[in-house]
Structures are given as structure tokens and as C-alpha cells.
């Protein structure tokens, strides 16, 4: 049984989520735009894009559509789970796990969209890699540096991130050197790994509960914000989820938890 046998809430979920994820990927794939900051570096270096440079109105409309479709699809999916609506063969936690991790992996190779925060992360990593204190040195203090000088917003602000995030940023800078593109790509790989790690932990911890998959792994709003937007919050989430898993397994009654819709 597949899509044609599924009830309408599941069809709305599949269409909304699928459409939202496709639009999110397309925004990054099209290249620099009002939603996608350009990255200096050699064209052969990842992350990649088609370099179409689409009209700003188009990409903003695509982003709005991605959010709207994602919200509607997510709501329909949660409603279907709550009402135990027949879903044909679409309710498969393992398939959703693979799909969500695959989308996050693809997005890591495309230009980040919806935010310029990744340029801040790259700059702070560069500051640390050069031996300066990112908590006391601002990007404006290194205006000639090819990475620190690429910041668009937090030019006069020192790092506000914790030691783990800073360590990841410094490691990405060491890998990327003077290339903004390669530094951002290294950060994107770490971000995708954190996203996939969270998905795997939730899948394992909940015994394949579909609600966990819908709320994280294939949640188009989370994918849009954290995977495509490449926000550092993804690192915080995987740390929180991992600590909760360790805490649960170490306490009384520890073990995988499951609930309605987990099968």
C-alpha cells in the first residue's frame, strides 16, 4: 500500500512535507540571492550551487511557500498520528530516518539559505585559528582577513557562543584556511552530522516512534531553519538529546520509550 491508499491527512502530510523540502533544497541550489549569501572562494569548492542568481521576489516567495507547506503538512501528519489514520506504506520510521538524514546531507553541499549567521561562525573560527581570543576580538579588528572580513552583520560583536561551538568553528577554520567557502562547508558538515545524530538518537531512544520522526527528522520547519539555515542551535540540540538519553538509561526504568504511533 502506498500514497494512493492513504487517507487524506496523510496525503496532505506527504504533499506538504515533500513540497516544502523540495523548495528548501531548490533555494540553496539556485545560488546567491536575497535568501542566500554569496561565498567567496574557488568555484570548484563546496558548497555548490547552479549560480542562477534568481530574482529576490521569487526566492522569498519560495521560502514563504516552503514554510506554509511545511506547517500545513506537519499539522496534517500529527493529526493523522493522533487519530491513527491509515497511511498505507507511508508510516515507516526507518524510511523517514533515511529521508531526513539524506536531505540534511544534500543541504550540506548547497549554499546555506535564510541567514548569514554562518559567516559569523566562520569569522569567529578564523579569529581563534589565528591565535586571537574570539570572545575579545571582533571581525572588524581583522578587516583585511578574507574570512573575518566576510561578515555581514556582527562585524563589531565578539563571539557569544560556548566553548564547544567555538571549538567546532576553529576546527572548521583550520580545515578551510583562507577560503570562506571551505570553512562554511566544514561547518555545514558538522551541522549535518549533528542533525543526523539527533535523528538517530531519537529513533533509537523512542523505538522508532513516528512522532519523533515527524517533529525532528522530516519536520520541514526544522530542516528549513537548522539544516538549510545552518544555525549553531543544531549542535546544542544534539547535546541536549544525547544527555537526556544518557540520563534516562542511567535512571530507574531506563530503556527505549514508545507510544502510540511508534509502529
Amino acid at each position: 500500500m502506498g500514497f494512493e491508499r492513504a487517507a487524506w491527512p496523510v496525503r496532505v502530510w506527504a504533499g506538504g512535507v515533500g513540497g516544502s523540502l523540495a523548495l528548501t533544497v531548490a533555494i540553496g541550489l539556485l545560488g546567491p540571492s536575497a535568501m542566500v549569501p554569496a561565498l567567496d572562494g574557488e568555484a570548484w569548492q563546496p558548497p555548490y550551487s547552479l549560480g542562477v542568481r534568481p530574482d529576490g521576489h521569487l526566492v522569498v516567495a519560495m521560502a514563504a511557500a516552503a514554510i506554509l507547506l511545511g506547517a500545513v503538512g506537519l499539522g496534517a501528519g500529527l493529526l493523522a498520528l493522533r487519530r491513527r489514520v491509515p497511511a498505507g506504506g507511508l508510516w515507516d520510521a526507518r524510511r523517514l530516518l533515511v529521508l531526513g538524514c539524506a536531505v540534511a546531507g544534500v543541504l550540506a553541499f548547497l549554499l546555506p539559505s535564510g541567514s548569514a549567521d554562518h559567516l559569523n561562525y566562520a569569522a569567529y573560527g578564523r579569529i581563534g585559528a589565528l591565535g586571537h581570543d574570539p570572545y575579545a576580538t571582533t571581525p572588524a579588528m581583522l578587516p583585511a582577513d578574507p574570512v573575518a572580513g566576510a561578515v555581514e552583520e556582527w562585524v563589531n560583536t565578539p563571539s557569544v557562543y560556548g566553548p564547544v561551538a567555538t571549538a567546532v568553528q576553529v576546527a572548521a577554520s583550520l580545515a578551510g584556511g583562507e577560503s570562506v567557502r571551505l570553512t562554511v562547508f566544514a561547518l555545514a558538515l558538522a551541522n549535518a552530522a549533528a542533525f543526523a545524530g539527533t535523528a538517530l538518537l531519537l529513533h533509537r531512544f523512542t523505538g522508532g516512534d513516528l512522532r519523533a520522526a515527524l517533529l525532528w527528522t522530516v519536520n520541514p520547519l526544522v530542516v528549513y531553519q537548522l539544516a538549510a539555515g545552518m544555525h549553531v542551535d543544531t549542535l546544542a540540540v544534539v547535546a541536549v538529546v544525547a544527555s537526556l538519553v544518557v540520563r534516562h538509561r542511567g535512571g530507574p526504568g531506563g530503556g527505549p520509550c514508545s507510544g502510540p504511533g511508534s509502529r
Side-chain angles (χ1 to χ4, degrees), residues 120 124-125 127 133-139 154 157-162 165-166 169:
N120 303 330
Y124 296 139
I127 290 170
D133 182 358
Y135 298 105
T137 306
T138 67
W154 289 14
T157 305
S159 177
V160 297
Y161 304 107
T166 299
Q169 292 162 7

Side-chain angles (χ1 to χ4, degrees), residues 205 247-257:
F205 180 60
R247 172 66 179 86
H248 180 81
R249 291 190 179 280
C257 60

